[in-house]
Amino acid sequence: MIHYLKDNNFWLITCLIAVLLPTCAKATPAFNTVNGYDVHGNKCPLPTYYAYPCPVLCVRDISLCPETVRPSCPTGQTYCVDGICRVSCPAGLVSKCACPGAPTLEGTVYQCLDNARVDVNNFNATIKKEEAEMTCASYLGLSNLTSWHSNPNQMMWGSCPTPDYGKLNFSEPIFIALYVFYGSCAFFLVFWTAYKNLREKIIRRYQMHEVVNDVYDITLDEKKEVSSEYSASKGSDRSTVDEANEMVIKAYKRDFIGLFVCFLFGLQTVGMVAYMIVITYDYYQDYYFFKGDAVVQSSTFIGMWYVFFIWFACVTIFKSRLPNFFRIQCPYEDGHYVQVERQEPSIIFSDEDDKIMAYVRYFESTAKHFFGLDVVVSTSPLKKTQTGTKYFIYQCTRYVYHPDTRLFQPHRFTLGETNGELAKLTMGLTSDEAMAREELVGPNFIEVYVPNIPMAVLREFASFFYIYQFTALWLFYYFAYWQVGIADTAVILVSAIVKVFVRLRSEIRIKRMAEFTDKIKILRDGSWKEVSTADLVPGDVFEVEEKNTCPCDAVVLTGNIVADESSLTGEPLPIRKFPLREGDPTDYDSVGSGKIHTLYAGTTISQAQRTEQNVPVMALVMNTGTATDKGELVKKILFPTRVSFVFDEQIKIVIMILLCCGLVCLALAIWLYTSGTSAWFYAMFAICQLVSPLLPAALVVGQSVAAGRLRKKNIFCVDLPRILMAGKVQLFCFDKTGTLTKEGLEFHGAKPILDVNNIVEQRAQNNQPEFDQHLEMMQDIPRLMQIGIATCHAVTILNGQFIGNPVDIEMFRSSQWKLHDEPESEDYIDTLSPPDTQQPASPVHVLKRFEFVHARMSMSVAVLDSHTNKVHIFVKGAYEKIRDLCNPASIPSDYDNVTSDLARHGCYVLSLAHRELDLEAIGGIEGFRHWNRDQMEENIDFCGLIIFKNQLKEDTRENILELKRGATRTIMITGDTALTGVYIARQCGMVQEGARVYLGDLDKSLGRIVWTDVDEPEIFSDVNVDEKLLNCDHTPCELAVTGKAFDWLCENNLIRKYLLDIRVFARMTPSGKVQCVQLHMERGITAMTGDGGNDCGALRAAHVGIAMSDAEASIVSPFSTSVRSVRSCVELIRQGRGALATSLTGYKYLIMYGQVMMMLKIFTFYFSVTMSQNVWIAIDVFITVLLTWAVSQSKAADNLAAQRPTARLLGPQTLASGMGIVAINWLFLISAFVMLFKQDWYRCNEFDSAAVDISKWWLLADNYEAEILALVCLFQFINNAAVFNFGYYFRRPFWRNYILVFLWLLYLAIVSYWMLGDPNRFGCLFRFNCGTKSVLERLGYTPPSTYIEDYNTPLGHNVMPVDFRWRLWGICIGNCLTALVYEKLIVIGPVHAYLARKYPVERLKIKK
């Protein structure tokens, strides 16, 4: 729960303000005289105290006890002086009449029975002792009884006198112990601080000359950097500032004196707890250690409580800096540890920034900076490698000291810039090279620390809010409120332990995912060796084996590999990987064009196939440990960026308001109730109840419940705070293929050029190419085109399953050709045969293949046709790209119209180009092997189109419309063509029905974007899109852009102008998708969904990313789902909104708990009453805890509303709800007391606090005032949960939360029974409508058979007349109904709707 109250310094200061008030005023009833006048204005007579307990008698002989109070024992036993019957009484027994702090009794003194009860007429509380003794003596038939003394004559009253331990001179053992203990705490801290400062000052002076000399030994740029560093540290720390990571690194060394003081500090911390236990124990021993002086003892406790709170608050707040406080700061060469300080990364979502919030942030940032809490601090041991290089481990990454820059940085090896350079690194490393590199990057192993259970528990409790809780509980234990203290402690411990085990389970899962070792063969010193994967370093060459997990990020050097990346990238199908080629000048990019060559750590090798005999499948290690993609993702999980919502920011103001309310309670306690230390205790109780310990948990409980519900829907979450973020999503970006449309495309035939089989002759004769008809059946397609369709792909077969790009798989499957398990010759990559029914049946052989690259939007293949012995080159790719690559003369004149028309009708169109090679002219097969990609893809001729149909999923349209109804803008970001994207956007309902769509594409000749009407491109070929957008209300329109247009808009800083008008972003590269998502994130909370693969970067970048992956624990994004449907996106937002609304509901309920408690406290202060212990336990344990849990069980609404839930704690709706319910509760409670004061039976029977010691709070509940206050407030405590249970737009209706409705009705029934029932066992347990047994009998009631402690009021009971009970019940039910109606009609009903229309809140204006 501390996660949402991290501002520890803020807490410390505000809590101290709350308790630092003087407590010196006198308390008196303010507005009425107790038992002054009856309802008719007549002066009240003195009351009769019914069943007053007589003081016990002490006698020299048991026979002197009057008959009614004489003890008796079974036959054969004797009554002993300690009040116990025995066969014989041993010597040395202490008399039961002995009194603490009084002289020892002389002789034998027995105690009579303590069961005498009398009615004291004309009871006067100021002389109650004298009146009671006189009346009791008369009842027992005795006279001339003396008060207690040590040597009675025959008998005496047994009431003990005030203990007399002598005069308190503050030199008693307890004070000596306190002086020594707290003095030692202060002395050693001051001594160590002075010693530490002196040592560090000497080190700074000694090192200053060396540092200045260092500055002159480096380059100009380095000199500037080091000079600024030196200036900042005054030549002392020699701190390293890593500007890239905003890290400050300081070295510290151990010191013997520091270790000793640190050990003492630990003992003193334990001693703080021990001394609090001692003084609490002394409270229950009648202040024995303080010679019976209650004021001094309680004042001492208050002082110790302050010290205890400040001590543990400092330990908690500064726990990360504490170890180095007891060490000496020094240069790196002398250091044993390094302290790393880093600005805490955070994402803050706040839809408002008013002056109050600005002041709070300023105060918070200033205070945190002053105390050094504006950075995250961690300490790591400073170690040395075998060669003496210093390093340390921070966030699982090794940071190495670089003497040239004097910086600690993770080391990165650059093995090569291009694919060709990397392809040459086939010889591996020598042992010396490997050792040197391992010293710099560390082992290839991500070590995740998971604490044992005791350490995990300690880590959980080492947070400020637990310190606040347990410090407050000391008040409960001390001030005779230990029953509730135990109950609250149990609740806190159980919830904390549950959190510990949930967190440990998550950390263990991450540890299993992150830590990996296995045996692997590597090429070291020119020979193959089997080593551990932990020994891999960048530059190593290792053998790739099937069924193994890839231990690092690597590039394929030889062989063909199929890798399953589902757990890392969310890619649903295994991916084929290809070796690098020597001489390839393409820059290596692991997430771009180099992805098809890259193996990622954590992925599974499904197939590793050799392409050369006696040459194993090899890969080159690129990155290890946390430098891998998997390592970066693991680091993000282990060290997540803090996500802060507006309620995280506003809760600081809320707590300040609540603490101000606590100060009001303190002032009222002093004025109305009591003075001195008692006022302080009551005010502190009020603060503890105003700022509920459950408050932080209430703000996050919704996300935990929602996570469980999402899991049932097969939506898995690895970052719970993102669930609440999903509830505020405004913009939802979708990939198209496999997300909006079905998983696979359907082959829809081909459209070749006329006489394509003779394309070479056509080109030689310069014939004008024309399109043939659309051929849907494969057997009708010309053979040359068939060869291209069957071979121009990278499909392979694994365990009888096709592996590769889904489009390639569909294309190859439709060709009906057969892929041989092994090529006919080692010179071939693949061998393929036509269907048996096709002639000629000669196979074809793939000689060379360049795989599809997003950056080029094409792939190419060289094929040897064994029938004609000709070599054909086929180039396949996006129709726009192939048009640019082909010879212009080979392009049909209607090419653009045909392709656009196909795309406009939802077809996925690829172009196929051809080139026939003369091997003899290029030096034969051997010469051809050295061709690069550019050589293969030049001088090609267009030969036809390959057409696929892209079908929508059945449920896509209804779910897209659901999102739009839910005020969520939907956007398509696809790699497909713009026209296909527009078609699908219209089909699924993204584009408004009837809206014109204008497509923007870059016209290089004009140097600008040209916007054309998708439906009538000839008529509207260059429209002014700005005018169209201005007229959008009259004629709806949408925009779509190509990837080139998007890039141009970004470069010219125009993209933000059109961003929220663009519905379809087409032909987007993976990096373009990331940039597009980031631009949307600037405008609002953005979600992204896709099926992994090229969507990985965008999924990671978005506020809310959901990967449609079969892997349950995919770490590519916060959410993943195996249900490949847009319904998962709707479900995520639905549950997110429900979770956010539930969190706010829990918050409001606990705030109302505090407000009702404050109201209750004010009334108890005024009347000097309280509720019984069992009522307090019922409220704090059963009602509040169970109803807080029940509120969270409300399920999300079935449909998305046209607005999002508020996240503002101080928003108008939240304030109206809370303040209105507070006003209603106040009015009805006041009405109940007004009605009470008009009752004849009550006036002149009012509770007189003068009759009791009000510091003994448990004696103050046996009266009408406390009874009515408790009953009315119980109804309010219970009903508040129901008031906030209304579903509104984001949760299901009131009655659908069955658990809450059941508890609400059950609790209302129980409290109604307490209020309406005659004296009974259940009601008497809580002191409702009950009394002393003899008084109940006198009133005509049958007392319950259970034990009832005597009432301490003169009336002896608090049984209300039946008619008054029903009227009071009516007021309470009216209170409940009024609150429910107010919330339903005013806060969330028609009144709110009217005000929302009249005074709309400014929100992001978007087209849905």
Side-chain angles (χ1 to χ4, degrees), residues 475-622:
L475 304 174
F476 290 45
Y477 288 121
Y478 176 85
F479 208 57
Y481 198 25
W482 56 268
Q483 298 96 330
V484 174
I486 290 175
D488 283 358
T489 302
V491 170
I492 293 169
L493 289 176
V494 169
S495 62
I497 290 173
V498 168
K499 283 182 64 180
V500 165
F501 279 97
V502 170
R503 185 173 178 178
L504 280 178
R505 186 172 60 184
S506 174
E507 289 178 347
I508 290 171
R509 182 177 64 84
I510 295 171
K511 183 181 179 73
R512 289 172 180 166
M513 179 181 67
E515 295 185 353
F516 170 79
T517 56
D518 198 0
K519 293 295 183 181
I520 196 168
K521 292 180 180 178
I522 66 172
L523 187 60
R524 185 73 58 83
D525 297 320
S527 61
W528 290 97
K529 299 178 181 179
E530 187 174 74
V531 298
S532 170
T533 54
D535 296 329
L536 289 175
V537 294
D540 264 328
V541 174
F542 66 95
E543 182 178 353
V544 182
E545 297 181 353
E546 290 185 6
K547 309 304 180 186
N548 285 356
T549 299
C550 186
C552 58
D553 283 358
V555 291
V556 183
L557 295 177
T558 62
N560 290 325
I561 295 172
V562 176
D564 180 0
E565 299 179 352
S566 59
S567 64
L568 185 69
T569 67
E571 185 69 52
L573 296 174
I575 304 299
R576 192 169 181 182
K577 304 291 182 176
F578 303 94
L580 296 170
R581 291 179 173 85
E582 290 189 28
D584 185 352
T586 307
D587 288 341
Y588 174 72
D589 180 5
S590 64
V591 295
S593 60
K595 187 175 180 180
I596 58 174
H597 309 298
T598 305
L599 300 174
Y600 297 102
T603 58
T604 303
I605 306 302
S606 302
Q607 185 183 64
Q609 187 178 46
R610 295 187 179 189
T611 54
E612 300 178 43
Q613 192 173 7
N614 300 324
V615 177
V617 180
M618 297 189 301
L620 173 69
V621 178
M622 297 296 293

Side-chain angles (χ1 to χ4, degrees), residues 726-786:
K728 296 291 284 183
V729 165
Q730 299 160 291
L731 308 163
F732 214 125
C733 303
F734 291 87
D735 179 38
K736 180 181 71 70
T737 307
T739 304
L740 298 173
T741 61
K742 292 180 180 179
E743 299 295 331
L745 298 170
E746 298 177 9
F747 182 74
H748 195 52
K751 194 174 183 68
I753 61 171
L754 286 171
D755 196 19
V756 70
N757 285 337
N758 297 314
I759 187 173
V760 177
E761 290 79 6
Q762 288 191 48
R763 297 277 42 83
Q765 298 170 10
N766 291 321
N767 292 342
Q768 178 63 34
E770 295 180 11
F771 276 113
D772 199 348
Q773 61 182 336
H774 183 175
L775 305 173
E776 295 189 13
M777 304 302 294
M778 182 61 66
Q779 59 267 27
D780 297 333
I781 298 173
R783 187 172 189 274
L784 182 67
M785 190 84 173
Q786 279 198 41

Side-chain angles (χ1 to χ4, degrees), residues 83 90 168 179 196 337 368 451 687 799 801 804 1060 1138 1182 1218 1301:
L168 195 66
Y179 298 153
K196 174 183 171 72
Y337 300 90
K368 291 177 75 172
I687 290 174
N799 299 325
Q801 179 185 3
L1060 296 185
F1182 295 101
V1301 171

